[in-house]
Amino acid sequence: MKQSGFFDVEERLARLSGLGDQLEAFSRTVDFEAFRPDLDKALAYSDGSKGGRPPFDPVLMFKILVIQTLNNLSDERTEYLINDRLSFMRFLGLGLSDRVPDAKTVWLCQKRLTQAGAIERLFDRFDATLRNAGYLPMSGQILDATLVAAPKQRNTNAEKADLRAGRIPEDWQDKPAKLSHKDRHARWTLKFTKAKRQDDGTMPSSDLAIPFFGYKSHVSIDRKYRFIRKWKTTHAAASDGARLREGLLDKTNTASSVWADTAYRSKDNEDFMEKQGFVSKVHRKKPHLKPMPRHIQKSNAGKSVIRSRVEHVFADQKSQTGLFVRTVGISRATMRIGLANIVYNMRRLLFLERLNASA
């Protein structure tokens, strides 16, 4: 077997570039050094004065989390694929002989960032980069939420009652190992889907209600460029509408219109938007036990053309990056969903830059 050399590796990398390496496009378009101040502060590695093996570069570790999020990888799988794939090594700036962070190191990086609450600052840092590049929030904003699955918990009815009341079940209190594996923040809810026509041509009388366990990702995107501008993570049973008044609206948008589905239509929300200077384009609800008036149907249909654009954000996150929460607790779920939102904005930036280049 022929022994591979430097030029063989370079030839393989050139071929990967020709096939369209997404990570190479990330390196060209995204300035990862912009994240360094926040990463240095959050990770707070030792300066090495006490000896020991030097820590990995914070930007390198963040880029590993980007790879992990892009490909929906576990920590162990991430370690393996960095060692295995030339495209991953090139993106990280690693050579074949360089030391690669192991799964434990990746896990500790996520833990430190979570404990420091750094994900919001990292998101804001990239949002500032987008604004500096000319991608200002424009033409109004669109709000929506999607369910994000988490590993199901097997709890008794008494334990579920304690969790809903915000208490730690008595049987868990003296078992720290068990407690660390129990998600006390995720909740069950019902996911409604439209009923499908049966084989005989009939339509079921009601829609389907599917039990769902996990969290909920709430976002606000700008209508012009469709970047996520504001976001929030809650348990799956949280109300969509109430989040509108909890910092989900972007006051820096150049237009005042707000689009959302009927879950966001309430008197409190309408009053809040009016006081804050926003113009409500929220869908109106069907009157109880009455047919929907024709003019409201027509108005909602016109709003749907714009509001539906937010669905593409969630479709991209779930189909392209397989958005799923593997961790335990709301803090780590927020970290996971926040990373997914940053990566979505990065991918969206790549798309818009290619569009501008071809224009």
Side-chain angles (χ1 to χ4, degrees), residues 225-237:
Y225 297 113
R226 304 186 201 179
F227 285 112
I228 297 173
R229 301 293 182 171
K230 297 288 182 180
W231 63 279
K232 188 178 183 67
T233 301
T234 64
H235 61 73

Side-chain angles (χ1 to χ4, degrees), residues 36-304:
R36 186 175 292 279
D38 299 301
L39 293 170
D40 285 338
K41 183 177 180 181
L43 296 175
Y45 287 134
S46 168
D47 59 6
S49 60
K50 296 183 179 180
R53 178 175 286 186
F56 287 99
D57 179 66
V59 175
L60 166 70
M61 296 306 302
F62 180 67
K63 291 170 80 172
I64 288 176
L65 298 184
V66 169
I67 286 177
Q68 191 175 46
T69 304
L70 269 171
N71 298 277
N72 190 25
L73 302 173
S74 66
D75 296 336
E76 292 74 16
R77 188 66 177 166
T78 300
E79 177 188 356
Y80 173 81
L81 288 177
I82 291 173
N83 281 281
D84 181 67
R85 291 191 180 179
L86 287 174
S87 59
F88 284 14
M89 284 186 273
R90 175 168 63 180
F91 176 63
L92 299 173
L94 296 174
L96 292 173
S97 60
D98 290 330
R99 185 165 61 103
V100 173
D102 59 18
K104 181 68 173 179
T105 304
V106 175
W107 180 83
L108 284 172
C109 175
Q110 294 179 65
K111 182 181 179 181
R112 286 195 178 191
L113 291 175
T114 301
Q115 291 174 337
I119 191 61
E120 288 85 359
R121 294 195 297 274
L122 293 170
F123 180 89
D124 291 343
R125 178 73 65 175
F126 189 62
D127 186 60
T129 301
L130 294 174
R131 293 167 188 259
N132 291 336
Y135 295 104
L136 299 174
M138 300 175 69
S139 305
Q141 56 197 296
I142 310 170
L143 276 62
D144 206 355
T146 189
L147 294 168
V148 182
K152 297 180 178 64
Q153 304 283 295
R154 301 291 186 261
N155 301 324
T156 65
N157 290 333
E159 290 170 342
K160 291 177 183 178
D162 285 337
L163 293 174
R164 283 193 293 269
R167 299 187 299 267
I168 299 176
E170 185 177 352
D171 185 48
W172 299 2
Q173 295 178 11
D174 58 349
K175 298 178 180 178
K178 181 175 183 178
L179 183 61
S180 67
H181 288 85
K182 288 292 186 178
D183 196 328
R184 290 172 284 150
H185 303 118
R187 292 289 183 272
W188 284 97
T189 189
L190 290 176
K191 180 179 180 180
F192 293 94
T193 61
K194 292 292 183 182
K196 296 181 180 180
R197 188 175 299 276
Q198 302 297 307
D199 293 337
D200 60 3
T202 61
M203 285 291 293
S205 58
S206 60
D207 293 335
L208 301 176
I210 303 172
F212 185 95
F213 182 79
Y215 293 92
K216 189 176 286 187
S217 171
H218 309 262
V219 304
S220 170
I221 70 168
D222 68 279
R223 179 187 172 190
K224 173 71 172 179
Y225 297 113
R226 304 186 201 179
F227 285 112
I228 297 173
R229 301 293 182 171
K230 297 288 182 180
W231 63 279
K232 188 178 183 67
T233 301
T234 64
H235 61 73
S239 165
D240 292 358
R243 308 288 83 77
L244 181 144
R245 306 188 301 276
E246 297 179 357
L248 206 58
L249 291 176
D250 182 11
K251 295 182 180 180
T252 67
N253 198 293
T254 59
S256 57
S257 298
V258 177
W259 286 266
D261 62 27
T262 55
Y264 295 86
R265 168 69 69 169
S266 70
K267 186 178 185 306
D268 287 341
N269 282 351
E270 295 299 305
D271 291 344
F272 178 83
M273 284 189 283
E274 184 177 359
K275 289 178 181 178
Q276 296 294 321
F278 293 104
V279 177
S280 174
K281 301 288 186 179
V282 180
H283 279 45
R284 293 187 177 275
K285 298 179 180 179
K286 175 182 174 299
H288 185 58
L289 299 177
K290 294 181 180 179
M292 178 76 84
R294 181 64 180 171
H295 70 282
I296 294 181
Q297 284 187 25
K298 189 174 181 180
S299 174
N300 281 351
K303 294 172 182 176
S304 291

Side-chain angles (χ1 to χ4, degrees), residues 24 42 153 166 176 213 311 326 332 341:
E24 187 180 28
Q153 304 283 295
F213 182 79
E311 302 292 349
R326 286 190 171 87
R332 292 182 179 178
N341 291 341

Side-chain angles (χ1 to χ4, degrees), residues 304-320:
S304 291
V305 174
I306 297 172
R307 192 210 66 82
S308 62
R309 295 175 185 176
V310 73
E311 302 292 349
H312 298 283
V313 176
F314 300 135
D316 181 274
Q317 288 183 319
K318 292 185 176 182
S319 64
Q320 298 297 320

